[in-house]
């Protein structure tokens, strides 16, 4: 059986950077020759392709079926598809749509696997920055506008390439910009499968396997939190902010169940407590759920960003004296900026004393439960009533994957159920306690579990542990490298608790300048300036922000499994290269 | 250049139904022979695979690099990967991880494309039903439990096959169970790309292209709603329930902005109005947001499930007399069970008269805006203050894809912003009005836009229109077929407004039985029984539910682009086959 020869070409060989035309190379895809029939279907070999998209003229109008060498069985035919003459309507479920469908999907997969390869290649850029107006004007034919008429599949493939080209490689070893970084291959495969299954978590009926995977995985997570036998409830929700919102809703339902039917007017003035360093979603939940953001009381922290328990107790007493009813305390397990872990045990003591709901927002730090070395930072989490834990952050699971875990069984369903008869019929033939939809504030719910389950299978708990330990080691490496280095000033002293390393970089012009308004003002502008230069050169990305009275500083975080010490070194070099002479 | 011969095999040829071992066929994957180098990377041909997973003994321990025919360049080498000896840790970013990574992903893609093919094949089952306890016990080695130690990539691939095997083919032409059905190939490609890009909608910084696509698409949707120049705001949210929740939050913020800071105690007793046929998410939002579910007042409907405007006005007056403050009215554009469209213009008149927020829940029916023939059913929607529209329902976009659209610009941000400095820095180098994260109740937000944008590009508005018109035609075909057929009784008279066709099927034993308690009781058990038999035979799936005083009936809906008249015929035949003698 013959296949065509590879054709060398001098044109842009990179389908992700080439514009309008992909690789000018000619290539084959020879496929699935082992074919038999079953159930009347062809599980057949085809897809022998010889398609040069940059040579449209040559192929235009052609759609040849070529028999494969000495095998004239149509199951082994090869086809040339001319995507410029094919449209979405030619794909499945269209008649004869199978072949173009598989060919089209394989073209897409080629684009994606090229992107995956390049993501891990340090010689590629993290991003190719353009301003909004530039992209809106249309970059070299990349037109974002929608129209009434369909575009050819060739144009759709070009659109896919361009979308990736002008995006940001969040899996690049030098992308440190968010708490969620990296591109896990198993997780990616899991997401591809999830998209293909295209179902919905609300009933066992249409997602039997995923519903059970979620149940088993949540139980395992509750075991790691330390609740007896992993008992309790939980859900995967669309992100940590929603998980935190759940915790507030459940706490309210537990203490004031009448609010569900009667509204907030049935309860006294309820107050929530959370650290001034905590995630803004607690305040957002307070506003959304009808408590009011002013009734979310911010707790003072020590210099490392950890809640001061005495301040919590003082504010509880103060609130009670003002006629408010303390309801809920959020302890942060890994704060967004400092990576601080609140002292959960001391907070739990106070919650017990005053009979308050204790939530631990472990969206960022929850992953440390996987590490025998670091899980002590979450000591006391087993005393929490609810926990937020986002595997899509520290554990490298693709976005989105966030769990809300609840210690007491039943309260989540009690809080949210509306018993919609059209969806959650009690008279199904299976055990309908597996229908979890009525526990959620969502109706349809995306399948976030599979990628995580598959990663856990593929890595084992031990694999997550290794990843987490490595990220924390890398952070310590960075901390050791810069803590006494000229031009650096740490935002707080001491080894970071999590992978967050917060620091100012001082250009030469600022070193030795006396403290004061002028220095503050100038220093405030340094990080944004370096970040802008970084994005324009596209070499690396790291976050910055002010915090309280502290002017803009860099917040370095490591969650990217691809990062190594050399990437940390690179970041430092890059900051110095771009910032030294500011 | 030679490739190996296809090898016929008598063993199970179906990788999706084979257990523990995939296809025993031997096949090739010849790849990307057109190779050049750029930026030091290999964009290279490899992946010539000859890997029979069922012959583990033969391959165990082997990992051969074979040069391809007369081309000894390593770029053209072929590799045999033995996945039983490979683990997640061997994939990228591991050293030399590129080859096994691409090979592994290609194996996954093969599983997925097989699944895609079979999804559209009417000779396959819709599902292979098992009870929860059966799956939990482990079906022929499919073990859902997680462990501390990693599993081989071979096992991971088997897990992927098994996951699909025991799932439900929601894209099958005979899957009619939900409002979201079908498997759109362009949408699928879009989801695969989205997963690969693995980014987050909260800032332009890390999702420049997706943020702009969202902006342009939302504008286009607002134009179709009929708001001048498509002005306004919007977001893609995790499903219609959350979109509806947004609408209630925004209405509250518009009329009582002080609630954001002060809580519900700053407002009078607010009431919301929605049809007794509306989606339960309005009530759920009322409970969650602190209004109380009792303050969600249900409106009476006519026999077709449409709100009676006079009832709305009467209940507004009644609420005011009781000292409540009417705030918000939800008009449903396509109800879940009956597919009813509330008379929006008449409701809008009342909302204007009493100065109430008008929301249209077009989660299910919004897609009809795409159809010149059917959009009149939503007449008056341009008078709404906010609209929910789920492209993942009637428009066949993969789950999840739901938009909340708001006519007045700024109110969404005003309602939800908390100005988190660490994420939404005002001193970035680009126009930060493109950072949309602070408008959302989520922090991280999944990229739901790309698949939809890509489908719109590929089909054009006209393609969506054709799909919608076809689905409505099919429903009318079903309606015409059964309305006078023996053994059928329609739940309501007249041609359905949407694709919902609601009917009872009467087994022979019930025909001619006089109305009364006994008949009701028996009839109530018919649909669940037929549905159970349907799921056990795996041939088709359709929903049922009771509604108000009406006992269980079938709710047939058509949103599946793969469905044809023959599938409607099949459903009817199947109901009769399974139900005739009950």
């Amino acid at each position: 059986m013959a296949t065509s020869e590879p054709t060398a070409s001098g044109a842009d060989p990179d389908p992700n950077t080439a514009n309008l035309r992909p690789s000018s190379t000619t290539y084959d895809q020879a496929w699935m020759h082992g074919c038999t029939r079953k159930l009347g279907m062809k599980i057949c070999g085809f897809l022998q392709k010889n398609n040069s998209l940059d040579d449209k003229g040559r192929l235009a109008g052609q759609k040849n079926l070529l028999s494969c060498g000495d095998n004239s069985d149509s199951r082994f035919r090869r086809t040339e598809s001319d995507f410029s003459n094919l449209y979405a309507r030619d794909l499945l479920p269209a008649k004869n749509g199978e072949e173009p469908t598989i060919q089209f999907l394989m073209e897409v997969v080629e684009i994606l696997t090229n992107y995956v390869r390049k993501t891990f290649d340090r010689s590629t850029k993290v991003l190719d920055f353009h301003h909004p107006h530039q992209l809106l004007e249309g970059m070299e034919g990349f037109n974002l506008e929608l129209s009434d008429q369909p575009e050819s599949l060739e144009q759709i493939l070009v659109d896919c390439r361009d979308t990736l080209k002008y995006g940001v490689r969040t899996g690049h070893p030098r992308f440190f910009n968010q708490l969620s970084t990296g591109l896990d291959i198993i997780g990616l495969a899991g997401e591809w499968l999830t998209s293909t299954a295209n179902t919905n978590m609300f009933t066992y009926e249409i997602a039997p396997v995923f519903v059970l995977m979620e149940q088993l995985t949540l139980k395992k997570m509750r075991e790691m939190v330390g609740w007896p036998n992993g008992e309790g409830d939980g859900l995967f929700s669309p992100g940590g902010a929603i998980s935190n919102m759940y915790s507030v809703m459940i706490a309210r339902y537990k203490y004031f169940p009448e609010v569900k039917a009667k509204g907030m007017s049935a309860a006294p003035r309820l107050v929530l407590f959370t650290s001034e360093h905590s995630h803004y979603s607690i305040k957002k939940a307070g506003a959304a759920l009808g408590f009011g953001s002013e009734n979310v009381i911010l707790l003072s922290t020590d210099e490392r960003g950890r809640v001061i328990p005495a301040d919590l107790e003082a504010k509880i007493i103060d609130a009670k004296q003002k006629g408010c009813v303390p309801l809920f305390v959020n302890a942060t397990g890994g704060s967004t900026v400092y990576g601080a872990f609140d002292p959960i045990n001391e907070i739990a003591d106070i919650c017990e004393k005053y009979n308050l709901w204790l939530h631990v927002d472990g969206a960022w730090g929850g992953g440390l439960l996987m590490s025998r070395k670091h899980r002590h930072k979450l000591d006391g989490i087993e005393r929490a009533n609810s926990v937020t834990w986002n595997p899509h952050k520290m554990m490298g699971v693709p976005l989105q994957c966030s769990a809300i875990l609840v210690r007491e069984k039943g309260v989540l369903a009690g809080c949210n159920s509306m018993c919609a008869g059209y969806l959650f019929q009690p008279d199904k033939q299976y055990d309908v306690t597996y229908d979890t939809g009525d526990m959620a504030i969502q109706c349809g719910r995306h399948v976030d579990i599979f990628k995580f389950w598959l990663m856990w299978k593929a890595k084992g708990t031990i694999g997550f542990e290794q990843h987490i330990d490595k990220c924390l080691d890398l952070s310590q490496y960075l901390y050791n490298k810069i803590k006494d280095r000229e031009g650096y000033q740490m935002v707080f002293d001491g080894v970071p608790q999590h992978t967050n390393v917060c620091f100012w970089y001082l250009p030469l012009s600022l070193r030795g300048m006396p403290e004061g308004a002028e220095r503050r003002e100038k220093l405030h502008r340094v990080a944004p300036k370096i970040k802008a230069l970084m994005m324009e050169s596209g070499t690396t990305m790291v976050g910055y922000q002010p915090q309280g009275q502290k002017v803009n500083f860099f917040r370095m975080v490591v969650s990217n499994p691809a990062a190594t010490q050399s990437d940390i070194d690179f970041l430092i070099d890059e900051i110095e290269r771009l910032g030294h002479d500011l």
Side-chain angles (χ1 to χ4, degrees), chain A residues 270-281:
Chain A
L270 303 173
V271 290
L272 319 171
F273 300 89
T274 192
S275 150
E276 61 190 8
H277 274 247
S278 69
H279 192 262
Y280 69 93
S281 55

PDB file of all heavy atoms in Angstrom, chain A residues 270-281:
ATOM      1  N   LEU A 270     -28.193  39.158  59.930  1.00  0.00           N
ATOM      2  CA  LEU A 270     -27.126  38.153  59.995  1.00  0.00           C
ATOM      3  C   LEU A 270     -25.815  38.737  59.498  1.00  0.00           C
ATOM      4  O   LEU A 270     -25.800  39.514  58.545  1.00  0.00           O
ATOM      5  CB  LEU A 270     -27.508  36.945  59.130  1.00  0.00           C
ATOM      6  CG  LEU A 270     -28.840  36.272  59.476  1.00  0.00           C
ATOM      7  CD1 LEU A 270     -29.184  35.205  58.445  1.00  0.00           C
ATOM      8  CD2 LEU A 270     -28.782  35.667  60.871  1.00  0.00           C
ATOM      9  N   VAL A 271     -24.726  38.341  60.154  1.00  0.00           N
ATOM     10  CA  VAL A 271     -23.422  38.813  59.681  1.00  0.00           C
ATOM     11  C   VAL A 271     -22.482  37.639  59.423  1.00  0.00           C
ATOM     12  O   VAL A 271     -22.568  36.586  60.054  1.00  0.00           O
ATOM     13  CB  VAL A 271     -22.768  39.827  60.657  1.00  0.00           C
ATOM     14  CG1 VAL A 271     -23.519  41.151  60.639  1.00  0.00           C
ATOM     15  CG2 VAL A 271     -22.675  39.256  62.055  1.00  0.00           C
ATOM     16  N   LEU A 272     -21.595  37.874  58.459  1.00  0.00           N
ATOM     17  CA  LEU A 272     -20.607  36.889  58.021  1.00  0.00           C
ATOM     18  C   LEU A 272     -19.224  37.467  58.300  1.00  0.00           C
ATOM     19  O   LEU A 272     -19.034  38.679  58.230  1.00  0.00           O
ATOM     20  CB  LEU A 272     -20.760  36.626  56.523  1.00  0.00           C
ATOM     21  CG  LEU A 272     -22.185  36.515  55.959  1.00  0.00           C
ATOM     22  CD1 LEU A 272     -22.160  36.476  54.430  1.00  0.00           C
ATOM     23  CD2 LEU A 272     -22.848  35.245  56.495  1.00  0.00           C
ATOM     24  N   PHE A 273     -18.267  36.601  58.566  1.00  0.00           N
ATOM     25  CA  PHE A 273     -16.912  37.054  58.855  1.00  0.00           C
ATOM     26  C   PHE A 273     -15.917  36.410  57.905  1.00  0.00           C
ATOM     27  O   PHE A 273     -15.967  35.197  57.670  1.00  0.00           O
ATOM     28  CB  PHE A 273     -16.524  36.705  60.299  1.00  0.00           C
ATOM     29  CG  PHE A 273     -17.425  37.324  61.320  1.00  0.00           C
ATOM     30  CD1 PHE A 273     -18.575  36.667  61.748  1.00  0.00           C
ATOM     31  CD2 PHE A 273     -17.135  38.580  61.855  1.00  0.00           C
ATOM     32  CE1 PHE A 273     -19.422  37.244  62.684  1.00  0.00           C
ATOM     33  CE2 PHE A 273     -17.981  39.160  62.794  1.00  0.00           C
ATOM     34  CZ  PHE A 273     -19.129  38.492  63.206  1.00  0.00           C
ATOM     35  N   THR A 274     -15.031  37.225  57.417  1.00  0.00           N
ATOM     36  CA  THR A 274     -13.983  36.699  56.546  1.00  0.00           C
ATOM     37  C   THR A 274     -12.797  37.645  56.572  1.00  0.00           C
ATOM     38  O   THR A 274     -12.940  38.839  56.861  1.00  0.00           O
ATOM     39  CB  THR A 274     -14.522  36.497  55.108  1.00  0.00           C
ATOM     40  OG1 THR A 274     -13.585  35.739  54.353  1.00  0.00           O
ATOM     41  CG2 THR A 274     -14.765  37.835  54.400  1.00  0.00           C
ATOM     42  N   SER A 275     -11.645  37.118  56.282  1.00  0.00           N
ATOM     43  CA  SER A 275     -10.407  37.898  56.355  1.00  0.00           C
ATOM     44  C   SER A 275     -10.375  39.015  55.326  1.00  0.00           C
ATOM     45  O   SER A 275     -10.924  38.889  54.227  1.00  0.00           O
ATOM     46  CB  SER A 275      -9.242  36.940  56.101  1.00  0.00           C
ATOM     47  OG  SER A 275      -8.162  37.588  55.494  1.00  0.00           O
ATOM     48  N   GLU A 276      -9.706  40.082  55.657  1.00  0.00           N
ATOM     49  CA  GLU A 276      -9.507  41.162  54.680  1.00  0.00           C
ATOM     50  C   GLU A 276      -8.652  40.681  53.502  1.00  0.00           C
ATOM     51  O   GLU A 276      -8.636  41.316  52.463  1.00  0.00           O
ATOM     52  CB  GLU A 276      -8.865  42.384  55.348  1.00  0.00           C
ATOM     53  CG  GLU A 276      -7.497  42.084  55.951  1.00  0.00           C
ATOM     54  CD  GLU A 276      -6.954  43.218  56.828  1.00  0.00           C
ATOM     55  OE1 GLU A 276      -7.694  44.173  57.096  1.00  0.00           O
ATOM     56  OE2 GLU A 276      -5.779  43.128  57.237  1.00  0.00           O
ATOM     57  N   HIS A 277      -7.975  39.562  53.681  1.00  0.00           N
ATOM     58  CA  HIS A 277      -7.191  38.975  52.591  1.00  0.00           C
ATOM     59  C   HIS A 277      -7.969  37.892  51.835  1.00  0.00           C
ATOM     60  O   HIS A 277      -7.428  37.272  50.932  1.00  0.00           O
ATOM     61  CB  HIS A 277      -5.894  38.348  53.135  1.00  0.00           C
ATOM     62  CG  HIS A 277      -4.779  39.322  53.266  1.00  0.00           C
ATOM     63  ND1 HIS A 277      -3.642  39.251  52.499  1.00  0.00           N
ATOM     64  CD2 HIS A 277      -4.616  40.406  54.069  1.00  0.00           C
ATOM     65  CE1 HIS A 277      -2.819  40.236  52.829  1.00  0.00           C
ATOM     66  NE2 HIS A 277      -3.381  40.955  53.792  1.00  0.00           N
ATOM     67  N   SER A 278      -9.194  37.643  52.233  1.00  0.00           N
ATOM     68  CA  SER A 278      -9.914  36.526  51.602  1.00  0.00           C
ATOM     69  C   SER A 278     -10.393  36.902  50.211  1.00  0.00           C
ATOM     70  O   SER A 278     -10.361  38.060  49.802  1.00  0.00           O
ATOM     71  CB  SER A 278     -11.107  36.124  52.469  1.00  0.00           C
ATOM     72  OG  SER A 278     -12.100  37.134  52.447  1.00  0.00           O
ATOM     73  N   HIS A 279     -10.865  35.908  49.530  1.00  0.00           N
ATOM     74  CA  HIS A 279     -11.353  36.112  48.162  1.00  0.00           C
ATOM     75  C   HIS A 279     -12.620  36.961  48.184  1.00  0.00           C
ATOM     76  O   HIS A 279     -13.469  36.787  49.051  1.00  0.00           O
ATOM     77  CB  HIS A 279     -11.627  34.750  47.523  1.00  0.00           C
ATOM     78  CG  HIS A 279     -11.844  34.832  46.052  1.00  0.00           C
ATOM     79  ND1 HIS A 279     -13.100  34.858  45.488  1.00  0.00           N
ATOM     80  CD2 HIS A 279     -10.963  34.932  45.030  1.00  0.00           C
ATOM     81  CE1 HIS A 279     -12.982  34.946  44.164  1.00  0.00           C
ATOM     82  NE2 HIS A 279     -11.693  34.989  43.861  1.00  0.00           N
ATOM     83  N   TYR A 280     -12.754  37.828  47.183  1.00  0.00           N
ATOM     84  CA  TYR A 280     -13.890  38.753  47.165  1.00  0.00           C
ATOM     85  C   TYR A 280     -15.227  38.049  46.987  1.00  0.00           C
ATOM     86  O   TYR A 280     -16.274  38.671  47.128  1.00  0.00           O
ATOM     87  CB  TYR A 280     -13.690  39.815  46.087  1.00  0.00           C
ATOM     88  CG  TYR A 280     -13.769  39.305  44.670  1.00  0.00           C
ATOM     89  CD1 TYR A 280     -14.957  39.331  43.952  1.00  0.00           C
ATOM     90  CD2 TYR A 280     -12.643  38.784  44.019  1.00  0.00           C
ATOM     91  CE1 TYR A 280     -15.029  38.855  42.648  1.00  0.00           C
ATOM     92  CE2 TYR A 280     -12.707  38.309  42.721  1.00  0.00           C
ATOM     93  CZ  TYR A 280     -13.898  38.343  42.047  1.00  0.00           C
ATOM     94  OH  TYR A 280     -13.964  37.880  40.755  1.00  0.00           O
ATOM     95  N   SER A 281     -15.193  36.768  46.700  1.00  0.00           N
ATOM     96  CA  SER A 281     -16.454  36.064  46.446  1.00  0.00           C
ATOM     97  C   SER A 281     -17.313  35.934  47.702  1.00  0.00           C
ATOM     98  O   SER A 281     -18.530  35.768  47.593  1.00  0.00           O
ATOM     99  CB  SER A 281     -16.188  34.684  45.846  1.00  0.00           C
ATOM    100  OG  SER A 281     -15.317  33.946  46.660  1.00  0.00           O
TER     101      SER A 281
END
